[in-house]
Amino acid sequence: MGVTRKVRDLARQRKSFSPEYREEAVRLVIETSRPVAQVARELGISSHTLHNWVNTYRREQQEANAAADLTVDERARLRELERQNRELRTENEFLKKAAA
């Protein structure tokens, strides 16, 4: 077995974690104020992975707090723009596929 094949096999063994598992792991870091590396070791996952999850959680919380500061009109406008953005992305993907 060549080295490149071993690397490919290792890459395929990537674990996937449920959203509930991720939330619980992040909660352990946030609520207990324990280091990410310690919690990751206890859970048997990479500290880099857990660190990414914690950063994502914190970023989402900041965005949620910023959205809470919006007025009713601003929130409605934001929802409308997000809807339009989703529609345009879908159209764009469709047109890319049709052109190929």
Side-chain angles (χ1 to χ4, degrees):
M1 183 183 288
V3 174
T4 56
R5 186 167 180 193
K6 286 182 184 177
V7 171
R8 251 184 288 138
D9 290 343
L10 287 175
R12 287 186 191 138
Q13 294 175 357
R14 183 177 171 178
K15 292 181 182 179
S16 70
F17 300 96
S18 70
E20 294 81 14
Y21 183 85
R22 291 177 185 209
E23 289 173 20
E24 186 62 31
V26 169
R27 191 173 296 119
L28 284 172
V29 173
I30 301 292
E31 292 178 0
T32 63
S33 299
R34 292 189 301 185
V36 171
Q38 179 185 359
V39 174
R41 238 186 338 270
E42 291 171 3
L43 297 175
I45 60 175
S46 166
S47 62
H48 296 290
T49 300
L50 183 54
H51 190 66
N52 288 339
W53 295 349
V54 171
N55 284 342
T56 301
Y57 170 81
R58 287 181 175 149
R59 195 175 323 108
E60 288 172 353
Q61 290 302 310
Q62 286 176 345
E63 290 172 3
N65 290 340
D69 295 340
L70 299 176
T71 66
V72 173
D73 291 336
E74 291 171 330
R75 272 186 252 142
R77 177 74 176 138
L78 180 61
R79 277 195 306 275
E80 176 63 20
L81 291 171
E82 288 172 343
R83 184 189 61 75
Q84 287 176 356
N85 192 10
R86 278 192 308 274
E87 289 176 2
L88 290 172
R89 284 178 194 250
T90 304
E91 269 182 52
N92 195 17
E93 288 175 16
F94 175 78
L95 291 172
K96 283 182 185 178
K97 289 178 184 177

